[in-house]
Amino acid sequence: MATNADKVLLLARKRSVLRARDLEFVPRVTLTRLVRTGRIERVGRGLYRLPGIDVSEHHALVAVSRRVPRGVVCLLSALRFHGLTTQQPFEVWLAIDRKARRPAADDPPLRVVRFSGKALCDGVDQHVIEGVAVRVTNPARTVVDCFRYRNKLGLDVAIEALRDYRRHRKGTLDELVKIAEARHTAEVIRPYLQALA
């Protein structure tokens, strides 16, 4: 018969990051004892993992996705994920619904952008990282969003993303134009596409 501690450790081996919500089936004292004895480590508010496990370079995205399951990794963080920038953002850029409550600031730090309706679903792919489903804007959508939010990010970031998109062949120009039209950014991005052609 497995103890509560054994159940928690088994679940921790299956998933790289556990939420406190995932552990509602065990008394809190069990989790406290596991943390105190070093068998589980607390990595953020309500987030736990096995100590000493190998984590990928995208571990921050995993932690954020576990904390905010309906969020979408976007803009600079998505550029970094797709290898379309030399930028190294210290925050995770996360899109949430316009009406959603802002997640509590913790580790890793978040930069929240609000999207609504179709903007939160269109051009979003799901990737499995460390056994966790992470929603990330696809390369074309990410480049278009960089032009849409060029006042926040800087035009140089958007142009670099477009050049890398073309250089690394992350998608087609038709896909880029289609998403730009859907996101009402076609007029902004068109001169840069013509300059690169």
Side-chain angles (χ1 to χ4, degrees):
M1 190 77 156
T3 64
N4 286 332
D6 293 335
K7 291 176 186 176
V8 171
L9 294 172
L10 180 65
L11 189 59
R13 285 185 197 96
K14 290 181 182 176
R15 301 179 186 168
S16 63
V17 178
L18 296 174
R19 296 183 300 173
R21 185 180 298 166
D22 299 332
L23 304 172
E24 289 178 343
F25 64 92
V26 296
R28 291 227 183 249
V29 69
T30 302
L31 188 58
T32 305
R33 284 183 188 144
L34 286 170
V35 170
R36 196 177 313 131
T37 59
R39 295 173 72 189
I40 292 282
E41 67 181 358
R42 184 176 185 264
V43 292
R45 183 178 178 200
L47 299 175
Y48 302 89
R49 73 172 181 207
L50 290 174
I53 63 167
D54 292 332
V55 293
S56 71
E57 65 177 302
H58 304 298
H59 183 72
L61 305 183
V62 172
V64 167
S65 293
R66 293 296 291 155
R67 197 168 37 158
V68 188
R70 291 190 177 133
V72 177
V73 175
C74 64
L75 295 168
L76 288 181
S77 297
L79 284 178
R80 187 73 189 158
F81 178 79
H82 294 301
L84 294 175
T85 187
T86 56
Q87 304 272 333
Q88 186 77 306
F90 70 94
E91 305 168 301
V92 175
W93 287 71
L94 189 73
I96 61 173
D97 188 78
R98 191 163 292 224
K99 297 178 182 177
R101 188 176 57 152
R102 181 178 169 72
D106 203 16
D107 185 42
L110 293 178
R111 182 73 177 264
V112 175
V113 181
R114 301 222 180 238
F115 291 168
S116 63
K118 290 181 69 172
L120 206 54
C121 303
D122 290 347
V124 175
D125 297 335
Q126 187 165 303
H127 301 270
V128 177
I129 306 169
E130 298 177 17
V132 175
V134 178
R135 297 174 66 210
V136 182
T137 55
N138 66 30
R141 166 71 189 273
T142 303
V143 171
V144 169
D145 282 348
C146 285
F147 277 95
R148 186 174 177 93
Y149 291 94
R150 65 193 176 281
N151 293 336
K152 282 188 178 190
L153 303 175
L155 187 58
D156 57 327
V157 172
I159 292 171
E160 178 190 23
L162 180 60
R163 283 187 184 137
D164 287 349
Y165 178 84
R166 293 273 309 205
R167 185 180 313 130
H168 299 302
R169 294 187 172 104
K170 292 289 185 172
T172 66
L173 286 181
D174 291 339
E175 183 181 1
L176 199 66
V177 169
K178 183 179 176 185
I179 291 175
E181 288 171 354
R183 298 282 293 141
H184 308 290
T185 315
E187 293 302 316
V188 174
I189 202 170
R190 187 169 289 125
Y192 300 99
L193 289 174
Q194 291 170 350
L196 290 177

